[in-house]
Amino acid sequence: MFKRSVLVVFILFSLVHFINPEITRGEIPKIATTPGRFAQLPVAEKGNNGGVMPAPQFGAPNLVVDPRWIDLGSSASGEKITGQIRIRNRGKEILRWTASIPSSPPKAAEERVKGGRFLSLQNQEVRATGIYLPPRHLRDQLEVTGRWTEEEGYPFGLSPHSTLRFRFSGTGISLINLRRSPGGTMTVLIDDQPLVAGVDQQDENRNNGLYQIEGLPDGPHILTITSRDGTVLLEGVRIYGRELMKFPAGSVRVFPKSGVTTRETDYLTVGVDTQKLSPGTYLGYIEVASSGGAETVELYLDVFPGGAMKLLDVHLYLKDREYLFTTNPQLDGRKIFVGGHEKQGIAFRLFPPGTPGTTEFFRWYNPQKGDYFYSYQQQDGGKAPSGYIFEGAIGNIATSRMAGARPLQRWFNKTTGRHFFTLDPKGEGIQKQGYFYEGIAGFVR
């Protein structure tokens, strides 16, 4: 018990003395990069003083808004979604505040966003438990290994070798409020290629801040952060390469619209009615003005079609471990007839083109091996090399878990060079026939 108390005191001491909360907002310096090249950028976004960072007490009223980003995840069209903002006063005098939805995007906030969709790594369910687990909507994208605790629900890694892996799809990613204690090094990788290797954590300019990776091929990637010494904390990421839509007037509301506080915490509810929202990724803003300063909160939501969405039936035709998936048996009729494939029924369902959170799911065929290969990456890191004939897209697949979606598992036999795809997490016992598990090919219905 005594050792645990000492550890808690040490962590709190480290946060207070090693983390500098007064990082000012500013424009991200532009560093030109070519496709596939990575740029390490200095600090660009102010820390969340209301959330993770401790803050001193002032005499005059001083506004603290937490969080400064609201990620509502994804929702079917027609649903009503709510989020919450905490408003606190760092000063001793009375703070009077008002909240509103601006008619046009604030210029300073647009400069901060720069077309990137924010994803929060905060998990409210584990707040104050001392143990970090990925939030429900990111459990198929985010993986943490090693010694991880939580700070206000954010992942807080304790070295040595605390590793965070995040799967995303886009053309770039920014690490928002990446903070480390002095005295150690860390490694940042994209697709197993080093972005930052052996970074000295004693560098004052890098203690709070942001790394931005640009110029990536549009498609899926994996971000890996490993703290080799000291500690590391990350609030969230911005994903680039998505089109961000504006919330229609009247679709976002806040309640209450004003309040007064001295030491207590006020709660501002943000409600979104998706009934009139078309499928897509939305960005909006909530402005909080007060007698102790002003803040702009970003609001994000992915909307996918509701019950009216027509899924695509994927039919399975089989011949000697040659798995042919098609959403158009008539179009593939000649291939089915000549190949002697037998119909097995509907294997799963894909999403129609244009569904938010999905991308095209491609098919290849190798006539020498008698093997069909499927992936949402057109190159797939060389997994479908020479010898495979590209046959186009058969529908859209989700790159992360959506409501009602299930992971499509991929297995591979090194001896025959053939692939096997199934919804069964145990592979239908295929490993007994020499198949090895390769991972999740995507998410289907």
Side-chain angles (χ1 to χ4, degrees):
M1 185 68 183
F2 174 77
K3 291 183 178 179
R4 175 179 288 183
S5 301
V6 171
L7 175 60
V8 172
V9 171
F10 172 75
I11 293 174
L12 293 175
F13 178 86
S14 299
L15 286 171
V16 172
H17 291 277
F18 293 148
I19 297 177
N20 173 17
E22 299 304 322
I23 299 299
T24 58
R25 257 180 255 153
E27 184 174 349
I28 302 176
K30 284 292 183 184
I31 298 180
T33 59
T34 56
R37 298 293 300 277
F38 315 122
Q40 176 191 337
L41 304 185
V43 176
E45 297 201 25
K46 180 182 177 182
N48 185 350
N49 291 336
V52 182
M53 298 192 218
Q57 194 82 7
F58 298 101
N62 191 276
L63 175 68
V64 176
V65 172
D66 172 36
R68 291 179 58 239
W69 311 273
I70 298 181
D71 177 13
L72 294 179
S74 60
S75 168
S77 179
E79 295 181 355
K80 293 185 178 180
I81 312 297
T82 60
Q84 197 172 69
I85 299 173
R86 291 179 294 276
I87 297 176
R88 292 187 284 173
N89 180 14
R90 284 199 301 180
K92 296 181 179 179
E93 299 178 8
I94 295 176
L95 176 79
R96 304 180 186 276
W97 60 267
T98 61
S100 62
I101 307 298
S103 57
S104 59
K107 186 176 181 180
E110 278 195 310
E111 284 295 310
R112 185 174 70 217
V113 171
K114 294 187 180 296
R117 198 265 196 239
F118 177 78
L119 287 171
S120 174
L121 302 188
Q122 187 181 39
N123 186 350
Q124 294 283 1
E125 295 180 358
V126 301
R127 197 166 183 162
T129 66
I131 300 175
Y132 180 77
L133 295 172
R136 292 180 184 273
H137 66 287
L138 292 179
R139 285 182 183 174
D140 294 304
Q141 292 178 260
L142 178 62
E143 175 187 354
V144 292
T145 57
R147 299 175 60 201
W148 287 89
T149 182
E150 56 83 27
E151 187 67 30
E152 298 290 331
Y154 294 100
F156 187 88
L158 305 174
S159 65
H161 306 301
S162 296
T163 298
L164 180 150
R165 289 171 62 84
F166 182 77
R167 297 169 55 194
F168 68 97
S169 183
T171 60
I173 187 171
S174 293
L175 316 184
I176 306 300
N177 291 338
L178 172 66
R179 294 191 289 281
R180 301 150 301 182
S181 64
T185 57
M186 64 174 292
T187 302
V188 180
L189 307 174
I190 285 289
D191 301 330
D192 296 325
Q193 299 184 41
L195 165 66
V196 184
V199 174
D200 184 356
Q201 295 179 18
Q202 293 184 3
D203 186 339
E204 289 272 336
N205 293 327
R206 294 174 182 163
N207 202 40
N208 289 4
L210 176 151
Y211 292 101
Q212 181 169 326
I213 301 103
E214 295 180 313
L216 299 176
D218 191 3
H221 303 281
I222 298 178
L223 164 75
T224 305
I225 300 174
T226 301
S227 178
R228 295 188 289 179
D229 300 292
T231 60
V232 59
L233 184 146
L234 180 64
E235 287 192 27
V237 297
R238 284 194 195 279
I239 308 298
Y240 299 93
R242 298 187 185 184
E243 178 186 1
L244 298 179
M245 304 169 66
K246 180 182 177 181
F247 284 101
S251 60
V252 180
R253 299 181 182 275
V254 293
F255 179 84
K257 294 186 177 181
S258 62
V260 177
T261 180
T262 304
R263 293 185 178 180
E264 70 276 7
T265 299
D266 285 354
Y267 292 91
L268 177 65
T269 299
V270 180
V272 179
D273 186 350
T274 66
Q275 188 171 359
K276 296 182 180 180
L277 300 187
S278 302
T281 299
Y282 286 83
L283 163 64
Y285 300 95
I286 298 100
E287 288 189 322
V288 181
S290 77
S291 55
E295 287 285 1
T296 300
V297 178
E298 302 165 22
L299 175 67
Y300 296 90
L301 174 65
D302 291 323
V303 177
F304 56 88
M309 179 175 63
K310 182 174 175 57
L311 298 171
L312 305 178
D313 292 338
V314 178
H315 302 267
L316 170 60
Y317 291 83
L318 179 62
K319 176 193 173 182
D320 299 331
R321 291 292 175 187
E322 188 175 290
Y323 293 85
L324 170 60
F325 292 120
T326 178
T327 53
N328 194 334
Q330 291 183 339
L331 183 64
D332 287 323
R334 179 174 177 79
K335 178 185 289 289
I336 295 169
F337 177 76
V338 174
H341 295 79
E342 294 184 1
K343 185 177 181 179
Q344 305 297 308
I346 297 175
F348 50 86
R349 291 174 173 84
L350 291 174
F351 299 89
T355 304
T358 72
T359 188
E360 290 182 302
F361 195 46
F362 301 106
R363 186 178 73 196
W364 290 261
Y365 180 61
N366 188 316
Q368 282 74 39
K369 296 180 180 179
D371 180 50
Y372 282 98
F373 180 79
Y374 305 85
S375 173
Y376 58 74
Q377 289 181 276
Q378 236 176 318
Q379 299 301 323
D380 200 62
K383 294 283 185 175
S386 59
Y388 281 81
I389 302 170
F390 181 66
E391 296 189 343
I394 62 172
N396 274 39
I397 194 168
T399 54
S400 60
R401 189 182 292 276
M402 297 170 59
R406 296 177 292 171
L408 180 63
Q409 317 285 347
R410 186 170 77 196
W411 297 73
F412 179 63
N413 189 311
K414 295 181 180 179
T415 303
T416 63
R418 287 182 171 182
H419 295 84
F420 175 65
F421 296 80
T422 178
L423 296 177
D424 183 2
K426 296 183 179 180
E428 301 179 23
I430 196 74
Q431 60 270 33
K432 296 178 181 179
Q433 301 179 35
Y435 283 78
F436 294 88
Y437 182 64
E438 282 200 324
I440 297 174
F443 296 87
V444 300
R445 294 282 287 270

